[in-house]
Amino acid sequence: MPTDTPQPAFVLVRPQMGENIGAAARAMWNFGLDRMRIVAPRDGWPNPKAVAMSSGAGRLLDEAQLCADVPEALGDCTYVFATTARQRGLTKPVYSPERAMQIAAQKIASGEKVAVMFGPERAGLENEDIAKANAIISVPVNPLYASLNLGQCVLLTGYEWMRQSAEVVHETTDLGRKGEWASGVEVEKLVEHYEERLDAAGFFFPPEKAEGMKTNLRNLWSRMRMTRSDVQMLHGIMRQMVRWKERGGE
C-alpha cells in the first residue's frame, strides 16, 4: 500500500515506453513519492521494461493505479497541475515547479487532493488534457531545446516537492565515520604547542615583531576549521620534527 505521507499524485498520461515509466517511478521514489497513476500506457500494463528501469522502485509500480482515461485518473482530485514546455494559449496560471509545489503543499495541508499530470514522450499533453487542469507548470529551460524527458520532468518536480515537504540541508561537511570538529580548548593547546616550539627555535625574530608574528599565526589557526584528527596530526608533526632535530637532523 502507498505510504500515508501527504503528497500529490503523479499522473503519467499515455506514456509510450516502459523504460520511461520505470525512470519516472525511480525519480518519484528518490523523493519519497509513491502515488503514481498511469493513463492508457501505449505498450500495456504491467510492463517488464518499466520494472527493469525502476531500479528498486518496483513496489511503486506494483501499487500504481491504472486508469483508462484522464477523467478517471483525476476523479478524486480537487486541484490539478499540468506540465508542459509549450505555450498553449489557454487562460490558466503558469507556475515554475518551485512555486507549483509550494501551492501543492499548502493545498494538501488544508486537506485537498492534488495531482500533477505529465504527458507522453513524443508531444506532451494535448490541449484537451490541459483543459482539465487548474494550472500549468512550466520549467524554465533553453527555449531552443525545451523538451524534457518524462523521467527528468518527474525528477525535477519531485525534487521541488521534497524542498517544500522536508528540510533540505544546503551545505554540510563529511567528517568521516570518526570525524569530530576540534574544540576551542584543543585548538588552543595546539597553538600553544607550536608557539612554544617555534619560540625555542628562534622563529619569532626580531623580538619587537614577535607579538605581531604570534597574532598572525593565531589568525592562521582560526581560519582553519580543524577536526580532532587534524589537531592530533599537527601535534605529531611538530613532535617528530623536534625529535629529528634533537637527534642531529639537518
Side-chain angles (χ1 to χ4, degrees):
M1 293 292 292
T3 63
D4 294 331
T5 306
Q7 60 181 265
F10 277 23
V11 181
L12 311 188
V13 179
R14 298 182 297 278
Q16 297 170 312
M17 298 177 63
E19 292 89 341
N20 287 333
I21 299 173
R26 181 175 181 177
M28 288 177 64
W29 196 230
N30 282 149
F31 300 111
L33 293 159
D34 60 1
R35 295 176 194 171
M36 175 184 281
R37 300 178 184 183
I38 305 172
V39 177
R42 183 191 66 182
D43 296 337
W45 196 256
N47 188 313
K49 292 182 178 179
V51 175
M53 190 66 183
S54 67
S55 186
R59 180 187 68 78
L60 191 152
L61 295 175
D62 292 340
E63 296 165 354
Q65 180 180 340
L66 182 63
C67 305
D69 53 30
V70 171
E72 179 185 346
L74 304 180
D76 64 340
C77 298
T78 59
Y79 199 90
V80 178
F81 294 97
T83 59
T84 180
R86 295 185 285 131
Q87 296 296 322
R88 301 301 187 118
L90 299 174
T91 306
K92 293 182 184 293
V94 180
Y95 299 115
S96 68
E98 180 180 13
R99 180 59 182 146
M101 291 301 97
Q102 288 173 351
I103 294 170
Q106 293 165 4
K107 290 185 177 297
I108 290 171
S110 67
E112 294 196 51
K113 291 188 175 181
V114 176
V116 183
M117 287 195 294
F118 300 86
E121 297 89 322
R122 182 168 298 176
L125 292 167
E126 300 291 339
N127 280 359
E128 181 182 352
D129 302 318
I130 297 175
K132 297 178 176 63
N134 301 100
I136 289 171
I137 297 176
S138 182
V139 180
V141 293
N142 177 3
L144 299 179
Y145 190 66
S147 176
L148 284 175
N149 174 272
L150 174 59
Q152 292 173 326
C153 193
V154 169
L155 181 74
L156 191 154
T157 308
Y159 170 69
E160 292 297 345
W161 168 256
M162 187 196 71
R163 291 184 62 204
Q164 306 308 317
S165 59
E167 182 179 354
V168 177
V169 178
H170 292 285
E171 183 175 346
T172 186
T173 301
D174 184 2
L175 298 177
R177 288 182 298 174
K178 298 182 179 179
E180 294 180 38
W181 291 120
S183 69
V185 171
E186 290 167 329
V187 173
E188 181 63 23
K189 288 186 178 299
L190 177 68
V191 171
E192 291 173 354
H193 184 190
Y194 268 68
E195 283 188 1
E196 178 185 345
R197 293 303 184 182
L198 290 171
D199 198 17
F203 177 77
F204 300 114
F205 183 86
E208 62 270 19
K209 293 185 177 180
E211 287 306 312
M213 294 173 71
K214 289 180 180 179
T215 298
N216 290 338
L217 185 59
R218 283 177 173 270
N219 191 43
L220 182 151
W221 292 121
S222 70
R223 294 200 306 270
M224 296 169 58
R225 187 85 190 275
M226 292 182 286
T227 65
R228 299 183 71 180
S229 294
D230 295 333
V231 169
Q232 291 166 5
M233 181 183 68
L234 289 167
H235 275 300
I237 289 172
M238 179 56 77
R239 283 193 294 267
Q240 187 61 30
M241 291 176 66
V242 170
R243 291 192 191 104
W244 174 74
K245 185 64 176 177
E246 290 174 346
R247 290 196 299 266
E250 294 293 338

